[in-house]
Amino acid sequence: SKEEDLTLKTAMRKQIESIEIQYREAELEGQFIQWLHNSEYSHNTIANQNEDLARAHIRDVVLKNTETNANIVAELKFKSNAKEDIEAAIGQLLRYALYPNTEDCSEIWVVGGNYPLTDDLTWFNEIKKHVSLKLKYFYKDRQSNQFFEV
């Protein structure tokens, strides 16, 4: 039927989008780790890189601050805009930071693949005010291939 065809086409389109996001986020992760080694954050070593097995497209990087021994969890997202990057990362990061029986982390970082708009930054700063965790937000500049903290 026509309805089944539309449902199948929608499912296929969503699967392709999911694969594209998975690829972009994996690429973003490699670029971020490479950038970290040459940045002011180079005193953080990669403790591990994990895939959330329940949803394989979610990627995270755990860093260990070599000066303080603190754990930092970075969640990398590359959706269609910065608002979606932040939204997708925050839930994951709160789980990593607050869920029972998870390893402590002293900082959580959102790393996005999209340039944030003013409203995105305002929203992120509002989130920071309401969450008693040390939050940082980085985005990748596509022209320079550098990451910037905002």
Side-chain angles (χ1 to χ4, degrees):
S1 79
K2 224 176 187 179
E3 200 173 282
E4 286 173 336
D5 284 351
L6 277 175
T7 303
L8 181 61
K9 284 179 182 174
T10 300
M12 289 172 62
R13 182 182 49 78
K14 287 186 176 190
Q15 184 63 34
I16 290 167
E17 285 173 4
S18 175
I19 291 167
E20 287 172 350
I21 289 169
Q22 202 174 348
Y23 175 78
R24 286 197 315 253
E25 288 176 359
E27 190 176 45
L28 184 68
E29 181 178 296
Q31 293 165 344
F32 182 68
I33 289 168
Q34 190 175 13
W35 173 81
L36 267 176
H37 291 302
N38 301 311
S39 75
E40 65 186 277
Y41 301 99
S42 60
H43 60 278
N44 297 305
T45 59
I46 308 297
N48 58 19
Q49 294 164 256
N50 297 313
E51 288 199 11
D52 184 328
L53 296 178
R55 297 185 51 209
H57 68 276
I58 297 172
R59 305 184 69 83
D60 60 321
V61 177
V62 179
L63 304 165
K64 180 77 75 178
N65 184 318
T66 55
E67 295 164 0
T68 65
N69 213 31
N71 283 331
I72 301 164
V73 177
E75 185 66 34
L76 290 87
K77 296 295 178 190
F78 201 160
K79 305 290 185 188
S80 53
N81 58 55
K83 180 171 65 175
E84 288 182 12
D85 292 347
I86 294 166
E87 183 177 45
I90 288 291
Q92 288 298 120
L93 289 165
L94 291 175
R95 185 181 83 187
Y96 300 145
L98 303 174
Y99 198 80
N101 303 315
T102 53
E103 194 174 3
D104 285 345
C105 65
S106 59
E107 283 185 38
I108 52 180
W109 295 358
V110 174
V111 182
N114 293 290
Y115 186 86
L117 303 174
T118 304
D119 282 353
D120 301 327
L121 297 176
T122 301
W123 179 47
F124 185 76
N125 285 322
E126 280 300 309
I127 293 169
K128 282 173 70 169
K129 285 182 201 171
H130 291 86
V131 177
S132 61
L133 296 164
K134 191 168 182 185
L135 281 174
K136 290 187 178 184
Y137 176 55
F138 297 84
Y139 73 91
K140 182 183 173 214
D141 178 67
R142 291 186 192 173
Q143 271 67 47
S144 68
N145 269 345
Q146 295 295 306
F147 289 82
F148 293 97
E149 182 185 353
V150 287

